């Protein structure tokens, strides 16, 4: 049996509690990561193939590399916008691991992150890391699968040629077919799903867009995606009591959280199922909108950078650029201007491209080599996966033991850190006092030497004065003795001149 190791936060078949998701960061800070990793897992579940999750964190030790070489036949790495400065350290760790592997390494859907004008100049400081990663991968595979044209051109400009544009695996959760997109007539009673990215704040007024939707659509739900959102929903905060609030929904004082209209999806299957109950979805999150489309729900992406725009262009996903979009933009207008025909029409051809990429890299897929994912879906159907997290109301929801335990651990950790800092500070103070004592001793020695030199200089000056006086006295005595003779000699010379 072929064994594939895949980089993913968790196996699709692992049922985790909200506390486990947060404590172990199974989503890699963003639950959107699970959509494309689960889709890749399903796609690779061909006959006589076992797909095993490696986790989201990279252990690049020689021991782990040796273990992977011994136990697996290929290492598959689904990635998103990995070519970005904040991911550079993680990319370097991946490179360190890959450089030690002797098995094939296949990269799915990696992307470069840039502004929506596609200017990649800001990636210059991490160019060496990207080259190192791409070189290591291409030494172990036939090509690298990238998200779109921007990333392909970026890697080609760095000197790499074996690049295949395959988009993101998330769009191929159902293989070569794509769900029918439902039609809807949006009214004030329609159910609207909104998704927002905090890093889109500098690009457009997303807080204003959320406020307008909240005021005009009573059945609006905001789907958050980051670990910090999950922590807020599970732990809460004191912003309602303190009166602290911000326009973006990241405090309990925000109206969307006050009205319990925020959800945090923990698993792609339940996320997609929930979004199937909405009439329309929109926002700046690419995978939040992909999840809606996979549910057959019409969705429009508000693009704010290359990572969202690149995928929308490749898959013909309806989108509007966030920059310059008015805060009072109505979801109805976005829906009525959206055309989903090109997205569905081109899906088959795009699927053939990703299959060709897999074939080129020696990987079979369940859609053309297996049961089309039937066994995978049947196994998923047997699981009781967690629903999206709501705002905690303070009641016993089964997570109290974890909350108290975690608080105790954090307090213990904080106390230990305080003690360690105190020990470290005491050590530093001792070292500083020793250095100060040495400096004071050297200063005293220097002062003594300066005093001695000053005395020596005064004595020298006194001696020089005495010598000067002696020389002056000698000069005067010579003049007294020689003076008369010189005067006579002078008169004699003068008289001789008159004759």
């Amino acid at each position: 049996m072929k064994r594939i190791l895949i980089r993913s936060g968790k196996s699709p078949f692992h049922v985790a509690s909200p506390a486990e998701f947060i404590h172990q960061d199974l989503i890699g800070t963003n639950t959107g990561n699970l959509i494309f990793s689960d889709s890749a897992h399903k796609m690779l579940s061909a006959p006589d193939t076992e797909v095993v999750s490696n986790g989201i964190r990279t252990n690049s030790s020689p021991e782990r590399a040796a273990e992977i070489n011994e136990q697996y036949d290929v290492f598959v790495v689904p990635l998103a916008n990995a070519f970005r400065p904040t991911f550079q350290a993680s990319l370097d760790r991946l490179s360190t691991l890959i450089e030690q592997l002797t098995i094939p390494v296949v990269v799915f859907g990696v992307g470069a992150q840039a502004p929506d004008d596609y200017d990649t100049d800001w990636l210059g400081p991490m160019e060496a890391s990207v080259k190192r990663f791409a070189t290591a991968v291409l030494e172990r595979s036939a090509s690298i699968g990238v998200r779109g044209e921007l990333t392909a051109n970026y890697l080609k400009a760095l000197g790499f040629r074996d690049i295949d544009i395959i988009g993101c695996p998330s769009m191929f959760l159902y293989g070569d077919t794509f769900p029918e997109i439902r039609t809807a007539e949006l009214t004030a009673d329609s159910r609207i799903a909104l998704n927002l990215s905090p890093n889109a704040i500098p690009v457009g007024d997303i807080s204003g867009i959320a406020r307008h939707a909240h005021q005009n659509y009573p059945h609006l739900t905001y789907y958050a995606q980051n670990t910090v959102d999950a922590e807020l929903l599970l732990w809460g905060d004191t912003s309602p009591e303190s009166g602290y609030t911000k326009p973006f929904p990241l405090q309990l004082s925000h109206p969307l959280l006050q009205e319990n209209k925020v959800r945090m999806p923990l698993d792609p299957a339940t996320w997609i199922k929930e979004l199937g109950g909405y009439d329309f979805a929109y926002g700046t999150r690419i995978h939040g909108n992909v999840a809606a489309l996979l549910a057959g729900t019409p969705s429009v992406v508000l693009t704010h950078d290359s990572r969202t725009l690149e995928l929308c262009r490749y898959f013909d996903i309806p989108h509007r650029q966030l920059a310059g979009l008015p805060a009072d933009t109505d979801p109805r207008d976005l829906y009525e201007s959206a055309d989903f025909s090109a997205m569905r029409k081109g899906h088959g051809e795009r699927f053939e491209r990703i299959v060709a990429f897999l074939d080129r890299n020696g990987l079979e897929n369940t859609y053309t080599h297996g049961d089309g994912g039937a066994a995978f879906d049947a196994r998923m159907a047997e699981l009781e996966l967690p629903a999206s997290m709501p705002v905690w109301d303070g009641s016993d929801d089964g997570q109290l033991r974890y909350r108290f335990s975690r608080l105790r651990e954090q307090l213990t950790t904080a106390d230990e850190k305080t003690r360690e800092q105190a020990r470290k500070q005491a050590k530093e103070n001792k070292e500083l006092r020793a250095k100060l004592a040495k400096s004071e001793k050297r200063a005293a020695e220097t002062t003594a030497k300066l005093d001695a030199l000053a005395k020596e200089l005064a004595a020298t000056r006194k001696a020089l004065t005495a010598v000067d006086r002696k020389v002056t006295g000698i000069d005067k005595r010579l003049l007294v003795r020689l003076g008369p003779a010189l005067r006579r000699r002078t008169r004699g010379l003068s008289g001789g001149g008159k004759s």
Side-chain angles (χ1 to χ4, degrees), residues 144-171:
I144 293 177
V146 301
R147 291 163 75 101
E149 185 178 2
L150 164 72
T151 307
N153 290 337
Y154 170 68
L155 288 177
K156 288 176 181 177
L158 295 181
F160 301 99
R161 293 292 174 265
D162 294 314
I163 309 298
D164 290 326
I165 299 176
I166 61 172
C168 177
S170 59
M171 287 290 283

PDB file of all heavy atoms in Angstrom, residues 144-171:
ATOM      1  N   ILE A 144       6.027  22.262  -9.629  1.00  0.00           N
ATOM      2  CA  ILE A 144       5.368  22.868  -8.470  1.00  0.00           C
ATOM      3  C   ILE A 144       4.000  23.352  -8.925  1.00  0.00           C
ATOM      4  O   ILE A 144       3.875  24.050  -9.933  1.00  0.00           O
ATOM      5  CB  ILE A 144       6.181  24.039  -7.901  1.00  0.00           C
ATOM      6  CG1 ILE A 144       7.505  23.532  -7.305  1.00  0.00           C
ATOM      7  CG2 ILE A 144       5.391  24.801  -6.838  1.00  0.00           C
ATOM      8  CD1 ILE A 144       8.404  24.640  -6.785  1.00  0.00           C
ATOM      9  N   GLY A 145       2.949  23.010  -8.159  1.00  0.00           N
ATOM     10  CA  GLY A 145       1.598  23.469  -8.474  1.00  0.00           C
ATOM     11  C   GLY A 145       1.308  24.782  -7.775  1.00  0.00           C
ATOM     12  O   GLY A 145       1.383  24.869  -6.546  1.00  0.00           O
ATOM     13  N   VAL A 146       0.987  25.836  -8.550  1.00  0.00           N
ATOM     14  CA  VAL A 146       0.766  27.168  -7.980  1.00  0.00           C
ATOM     15  C   VAL A 146      -0.675  27.608  -8.171  1.00  0.00           C
ATOM     16  O   VAL A 146      -1.421  27.058  -8.973  1.00  0.00           O
ATOM     17  CB  VAL A 146       1.722  28.210  -8.590  1.00  0.00           C
ATOM     18  CG1 VAL A 146       3.168  27.811  -8.350  1.00  0.00           C
ATOM     19  CG2 VAL A 146       1.465  28.390 -10.086  1.00  0.00           C
ATOM     20  N   ARG A 147      -1.043  28.657  -7.439  1.00  0.00           N
ATOM     21  CA  ARG A 147      -2.435  29.122  -7.404  1.00  0.00           C
ATOM     22  C   ARG A 147      -2.874  29.796  -8.695  1.00  0.00           C
ATOM     23  O   ARG A 147      -4.030  29.684  -9.095  1.00  0.00           O
ATOM     24  CB  ARG A 147      -2.617  30.119  -6.258  1.00  0.00           C
ATOM     25  CG  ARG A 147      -2.519  29.504  -4.895  1.00  0.00           C
ATOM     26  CD  ARG A 147      -2.281  30.553  -3.826  1.00  0.00           C
ATOM     27  NE  ARG A 147      -3.459  31.341  -3.511  1.00  0.00           N
ATOM     28  CZ  ARG A 147      -4.230  31.142  -2.445  1.00  0.00           C
ATOM     29  NH1 ARG A 147      -3.937  30.162  -1.615  1.00  0.00           N
ATOM     30  NH2 ARG A 147      -5.261  31.900  -2.196  1.00  0.00           N
ATOM     31  N   GLY A 148      -1.970  30.549  -9.318  1.00  0.00           N
ATOM     32  CA  GLY A 148      -2.384  31.306 -10.491  1.00  0.00           C
ATOM     33  C   GLY A 148      -1.226  31.928 -11.238  1.00  0.00           C
ATOM     34  O   GLY A 148      -0.053  31.637 -10.972  1.00  0.00           O
ATOM     35  N   GLU A 149      -1.577  32.828 -12.157  1.00  0.00           N
ATOM     36  CA  GLU A 149      -0.596  33.413 -13.067  1.00  0.00           C
ATOM     37  C   GLU A 149       0.438  34.263 -12.345  1.00  0.00           C
ATOM     38  O   GLU A 149       1.616  34.256 -12.696  1.00  0.00           O
ATOM     39  CB  GLU A 149      -1.330  34.254 -14.112  1.00  0.00           C
ATOM     40  CG  GLU A 149      -0.432  34.826 -15.198  1.00  0.00           C
ATOM     41  CD  GLU A 149      -1.196  35.606 -16.240  1.00  0.00           C
ATOM     42  OE1 GLU A 149      -2.427  35.728 -16.104  1.00  0.00           O
ATOM     43  OE2 GLU A 149      -0.559  36.098 -17.195  1.00  0.00           O
ATOM     44  N   LEU A 150       0.019  35.012 -11.324  1.00  0.00           N
ATOM     45  CA  LEU A 150       0.971  35.856 -10.599  1.00  0.00           C
ATOM     46  C   LEU A 150       2.096  35.017 -10.011  1.00  0.00           C
ATOM     47  O   LEU A 150       3.279  35.330 -10.196  1.00  0.00           O
ATOM     48  CB  LEU A 150       0.256  36.614  -9.476  1.00  0.00           C
ATOM     49  CG  LEU A 150       1.199  37.227  -8.425  1.00  0.00           C
ATOM     50  CD1 LEU A 150       1.942  38.415  -8.993  1.00  0.00           C
ATOM     51  CD2 LEU A 150       0.467  37.600  -7.160  1.00  0.00           C
ATOM     52  N   THR A 151       1.748  33.951  -9.297  1.00  0.00           N
ATOM     53  CA  THR A 151       2.762  33.124  -8.651  1.00  0.00           C
ATOM     54  C   THR A 151       3.635  32.423  -9.684  1.00  0.00           C
ATOM     55  O   THR A 151       4.852  32.295  -9.491  1.00  0.00           O
ATOM     56  CB  THR A 151       2.105  32.088  -7.721  1.00  0.00           C
ATOM     57  OG1 THR A 151       1.225  32.766  -6.824  1.00  0.00           O
ATOM     58  CG2 THR A 151       3.149  31.335  -6.922  1.00  0.00           C
ATOM     59  N   ALA A 152       3.031  31.980 -10.782  1.00  0.00           N
ATOM     60  CA  ALA A 152       3.807  31.338 -11.844  1.00  0.00           C
ATOM     61  C   ALA A 152       4.853  32.297 -12.391  1.00  0.00           C
ATOM     62  O   ALA A 152       6.035  31.939 -12.555  1.00  0.00           O
ATOM     63  CB  ALA A 152       2.878  30.865 -12.958  1.00  0.00           C
ATOM     64  N   ASN A 153       4.452  33.533 -12.677  1.00  0.00           N
ATOM     65  CA  ASN A 153       5.385  34.527 -13.211  1.00  0.00           C
ATOM     66  C   ASN A 153       6.452  34.896 -12.183  1.00  0.00           C
ATOM     67  O   ASN A 153       7.613  35.148 -12.533  1.00  0.00           O
ATOM     68  CB  ASN A 153       4.627  35.777 -13.648  1.00  0.00           C
ATOM     69  CG  ASN A 153       3.772  35.530 -14.881  1.00  0.00           C
ATOM     70  OD1 ASN A 153       4.040  34.613 -15.657  1.00  0.00           O
ATOM     71  ND2 ASN A 153       2.739  36.328 -15.055  1.00  0.00           N
ATOM     72  N   TYR A 154       6.065  34.931 -10.911  1.00  0.00           N
ATOM     73  CA  TYR A 154       7.010  35.261  -9.846  1.00  0.00           C
ATOM     74  C   TYR A 154       8.113  34.205  -9.778  1.00  0.00           C
ATOM     75  O   TYR A 154       9.308  34.540  -9.735  1.00  0.00           O
ATOM     76  CB  TYR A 154       6.262  35.355  -8.519  1.00  0.00           C
ATOM     77  CG  TYR A 154       7.159  35.453  -7.301  1.00  0.00           C
ATOM     78  CD1 TYR A 154       7.931  36.586  -7.063  1.00  0.00           C
ATOM     79  CD2 TYR A 154       7.208  34.414  -6.374  1.00  0.00           C
ATOM     80  CE1 TYR A 154       8.742  36.677  -5.935  1.00  0.00           C
ATOM     81  CE2 TYR A 154       8.011  34.502  -5.243  1.00  0.00           C
ATOM     82  CZ  TYR A 154       8.780  35.624  -5.036  1.00  0.00           C
ATOM     83  OH  TYR A 154       9.576  35.714  -3.924  1.00  0.00           O
ATOM     84  N   LEU A 155       7.741  32.928  -9.786  1.00  0.00           N
ATOM     85  CA  LEU A 155       8.740  31.858  -9.712  1.00  0.00           C
ATOM     86  C   LEU A 155       9.583  31.784 -10.985  1.00  0.00           C
ATOM     87  O   LEU A 155      10.781  31.509 -10.935  1.00  0.00           O
ATOM     88  CB  LEU A 155       8.061  30.520  -9.441  1.00  0.00           C
ATOM     89  CG  LEU A 155       7.511  30.328  -8.030  1.00  0.00           C
ATOM     90  CD1 LEU A 155       6.794  28.991  -7.914  1.00  0.00           C
ATOM     91  CD2 LEU A 155       8.623  30.412  -6.986  1.00  0.00           C
ATOM     92  N   LYS A 156       8.961  32.029 -12.125  1.00  0.00           N
ATOM     93  CA  LYS A 156       9.718  32.016 -13.385  1.00  0.00           C
ATOM     94  C   LYS A 156      10.749  33.139 -13.411  1.00  0.00           C
ATOM     95  O   LYS A 156      11.848  32.971 -13.945  1.00  0.00           O
ATOM     96  CB  LYS A 156       8.762  32.109 -14.568  1.00  0.00           C
ATOM     97  CG  LYS A 156       7.961  30.835 -14.810  1.00  0.00           C
ATOM     98  CD  LYS A 156       6.949  30.989 -15.936  1.00  0.00           C
ATOM     99  CE  LYS A 156       6.152  29.695 -16.128  1.00  0.00           C
ATOM    100  NZ  LYS A 156       5.103  29.832 -17.177  1.00  0.00           N
ATOM    101  N   ALA A 157      10.382  34.289 -12.826  1.00  0.00           N
ATOM    102  CA  ALA A 157      11.332  35.408 -12.768  1.00  0.00           C
ATOM    103  C   ALA A 157      12.525  35.073 -11.873  1.00  0.00           C
ATOM    104  O   ALA A 157      13.609  35.648 -12.031  1.00  0.00           O
ATOM    105  CB  ALA A 157      10.630  36.662 -12.254  1.00  0.00           C
ATOM    106  N   LEU A 158      12.319  34.120 -10.951  1.00  0.00           N
ATOM    107  CA  LEU A 158      13.421  33.681 -10.086  1.00  0.00           C
ATOM    108  C   LEU A 158      14.242  32.566 -10.722  1.00  0.00           C
ATOM    109  O   LEU A 158      15.187  32.065 -10.116  1.00  0.00           O
ATOM    110  CB  LEU A 158      12.865  33.197  -8.735  1.00  0.00           C
ATOM    111  CG  LEU A 158      12.179  34.250  -7.860  1.00  0.00           C
ATOM    112  CD1 LEU A 158      11.707  33.627  -6.551  1.00  0.00           C
ATOM    113  CD2 LEU A 158      13.098  35.428  -7.581  1.00  0.00           C
ATOM    114  N   GLY A 159      13.848  32.175 -11.944  1.00  0.00           N
ATOM    115  CA  GLY A 159      14.638  31.190 -12.672  1.00  0.00           C
ATOM    116  C   GLY A 159      14.068  29.786 -12.725  1.00  0.00           C
ATOM    117  O   GLY A 159      14.735  28.871 -13.220  1.00  0.00           O
ATOM    118  N   PHE A 160      12.838  29.576 -12.254  1.00  0.00           N
ATOM    119  CA  PHE A 160      12.234  28.237 -12.245  1.00  0.00           C
ATOM    120  C   PHE A 160      11.258  28.090 -13.415  1.00  0.00           C
ATOM    121  O   PHE A 160      10.482  28.993 -13.697  1.00  0.00           O
ATOM    122  CB  PHE A 160      11.532  27.986 -10.911  1.00  0.00           C
ATOM    123  CG  PHE A 160      12.452  28.091  -9.726  1.00  0.00           C
ATOM    124  CD1 PHE A 160      12.499  29.249  -8.966  1.00  0.00           C
ATOM    125  CD2 PHE A 160      13.304  27.040  -9.391  1.00  0.00           C
ATOM    126  CE1 PHE A 160      13.360  29.368  -7.888  1.00  0.00           C
ATOM    127  CE2 PHE A 160      14.173  27.141  -8.318  1.00  0.00           C
ATOM    128  CZ  PHE A 160      14.204  28.308  -7.561  1.00  0.00           C
ATOM    129  N   ARG A 161      11.293  26.933 -14.052  1.00  0.00           N
ATOM    130  CA  ARG A 161      10.470  26.720 -15.254  1.00  0.00           C
ATOM    131  C   ARG A 161       9.403  25.653 -15.079  1.00  0.00           C
ATOM    132  O   ARG A 161       8.383  25.676 -15.756  1.00  0.00           O
ATOM    133  CB  ARG A 161      11.389  26.347 -16.432  1.00  0.00           C
ATOM    134  CG  ARG A 161      12.304  27.476 -16.875  1.00  0.00           C
ATOM    135  CD  ARG A 161      11.507  28.612 -17.500  1.00  0.00           C
ATOM    136  NE  ARG A 161      12.336  29.772 -17.809  1.00  0.00           N
ATOM    137  CZ  ARG A 161      12.482  30.815 -17.007  1.00  0.00           C
ATOM    138  NH1 ARG A 161      11.868  30.834 -15.820  1.00  0.00           N
ATOM    139  NH2 ARG A 161      13.227  31.847 -17.333  1.00  0.00           N
ATOM    140  N   ASP A 162       9.621  24.699 -14.209  1.00  0.00           N
ATOM    141  CA  ASP A 162       8.664  23.588 -14.058  1.00  0.00           C
ATOM    142  C   ASP A 162       7.553  23.998 -13.098  1.00  0.00           C
ATOM    143  O   ASP A 162       7.499  23.572 -11.940  1.00  0.00           O
ATOM    144  CB  ASP A 162       9.389  22.333 -13.560  1.00  0.00           C
ATOM    145  CG  ASP A 162      10.374  21.809 -14.594  1.00  0.00           C
ATOM    146  OD1 ASP A 162       9.989  21.735 -15.769  1.00  0.00           O
ATOM    147  OD2 ASP A 162      11.518  21.507 -14.222  1.00  0.00           O
ATOM    148  N   ILE A 163       6.658  24.841 -13.613  1.00  0.00           N
ATOM    149  CA  ILE A 163       5.576  25.403 -12.818  1.00  0.00           C
ATOM    150  C   ILE A 163       4.243  25.084 -13.498  1.00  0.00           C
ATOM    151  O   ILE A 163       4.070  25.327 -14.696  1.00  0.00           O
ATOM    152  CB  ILE A 163       5.717  26.930 -12.675  1.00  0.00           C
ATOM    153  CG1 ILE A 163       7.129  27.306 -12.183  1.00  0.00           C
ATOM    154  CG2 ILE A 163       4.636  27.484 -11.765  1.00  0.00           C
ATOM    155  CD1 ILE A 163       7.478  26.765 -10.828  1.00  0.00           C
ATOM    156  N   ASP A 164       3.293  24.539 -12.724  1.00  0.00           N
ATOM    157  CA  ASP A 164       1.953  24.247 -13.242  1.00  0.00           C
ATOM    158  C   ASP A 164       0.932  25.083 -12.478  1.00  0.00           C
ATOM    159  O   ASP A 164       0.911  25.080 -11.241  1.00  0.00           O
ATOM    160  CB  ASP A 164       1.613  22.761 -13.069  1.00  0.00           C
ATOM    161  CG  ASP A 164       2.416  21.860 -13.980  1.00  0.00           C
ATOM    162  OD1 ASP A 164       2.712  22.287 -15.112  1.00  0.00           O
ATOM    163  OD2 ASP A 164       2.753  20.734 -13.570  1.00  0.00           O
ATOM    164  N   ILE A 165       0.074  25.792 -13.206  1.00  0.00           N
ATOM    165  CA  ILE A 165      -1.007  26.550 -12.576  1.00  0.00           C
ATOM    166  C   ILE A 165      -2.181  25.609 -12.368  1.00  0.00           C
ATOM    167  O   ILE A 165      -2.765  25.100 -13.323  1.00  0.00           O
ATOM    168  CB  ILE A 165      -1.425  27.749 -13.453  1.00  0.00           C
ATOM    169  CG1 ILE A 165      -0.237  28.706 -13.648  1.00  0.00           C
ATOM    170  CG2 ILE A 165      -2.599  28.481 -12.812  1.00  0.00           C
ATOM    171  CD1 ILE A 165      -0.541  29.878 -14.576  1.00  0.00           C
ATOM    172  N   ILE A 166      -2.527  25.379 -11.092  1.00  0.00           N
ATOM    173  CA  ILE A 166      -3.591  24.421 -10.778  1.00  0.00           C
ATOM    174  C   ILE A 166      -4.659  25.013  -9.858  1.00  0.00           C
ATOM    175  O   ILE A 166      -5.631  24.337  -9.515  1.00  0.00           O
ATOM    176  CB  ILE A 166      -3.027  23.150 -10.120  1.00  0.00           C
ATOM    177  CG1 ILE A 166      -2.319  23.492  -8.801  1.00  0.00           C
ATOM    178  CG2 ILE A 166      -2.077  22.425 -11.066  1.00  0.00           C
ATOM    179  CD1 ILE A 166      -1.907  22.289  -7.981  1.00  0.00           C
ATOM    180  N   GLY A 167      -4.509  26.268  -9.430  1.00  0.00           N
ATOM    181  CA  GLY A 167      -5.483  26.853  -8.527  1.00  0.00           C
ATOM    182  C   GLY A 167      -5.341  26.306  -7.121  1.00  0.00           C
ATOM    183  O   GLY A 167      -4.255  25.974  -6.676  1.00  0.00           O
ATOM    184  N   CYS A 168      -6.481  26.188  -6.420  1.00  0.00           N
ATOM    185  CA  CYS A 168      -6.496  25.677  -5.047  1.00  0.00           C
ATOM    186  C   CYS A 168      -7.287  24.382  -4.995  1.00  0.00           C
ATOM    187  O   CYS A 168      -8.373  24.292  -5.587  1.00  0.00           O
ATOM    188  CB  CYS A 168      -7.133  26.710  -4.119  1.00  0.00           C
ATOM    189  SG  CYS A 168      -7.280  26.152  -2.400  1.00  0.00           S
ATOM    190  N   PRO A 169      -6.788  23.358  -4.301  1.00  0.00           N
ATOM    191  CA  PRO A 169      -7.500  22.079  -4.228  1.00  0.00           C
ATOM    192  C   PRO A 169      -8.915  22.195  -3.672  1.00  0.00           C
ATOM    193  O   PRO A 169      -9.760  21.344  -3.953  1.00  0.00           O
ATOM    194  CB  PRO A 169      -6.618  21.233  -3.295  1.00  0.00           C
ATOM    195  CG  PRO A 169      -5.273  21.867  -3.353  1.00  0.00           C
ATOM    196  CD  PRO A 169      -5.508  23.320  -3.572  1.00  0.00           C
ATOM    197  N   SER A 170      -9.192  23.239  -2.894  1.00  0.00           N
ATOM    198  CA  SER A 170     -10.502  23.371  -2.264  1.00  0.00           C
ATOM    199  C   SER A 170     -11.640  23.378  -3.282  1.00  0.00           C
ATOM    200  O   SER A 170     -12.729  22.858  -3.004  1.00  0.00           O
ATOM    201  CB  SER A 170     -10.561  24.649  -1.426  1.00  0.00           C
ATOM    202  OG  SER A 170     -10.324  25.794  -2.229  1.00  0.00           O
ATOM    203  N   MET A 171     -11.415  23.934  -4.458  1.00  0.00           N
ATOM    204  CA  MET A 171     -12.472  24.017  -5.465  1.00  0.00           C
ATOM    205  C   MET A 171     -12.781  22.662  -6.092  1.00  0.00           C
ATOM    206  O   MET A 171     -13.760  22.519  -6.839  1.00  0.00           O
ATOM    207  CB  MET A 171     -12.084  25.021  -6.547  1.00  0.00           C
ATOM    208  CG  MET A 171     -12.148  26.464  -6.109  1.00  0.00           C
ATOM    209  SD  MET A 171     -13.831  27.079  -5.853  1.00  0.00           S
ATOM    210  CE  MET A 171     -14.366  27.325  -7.553  1.00  0.00           C
TER     211      MET A 171
END
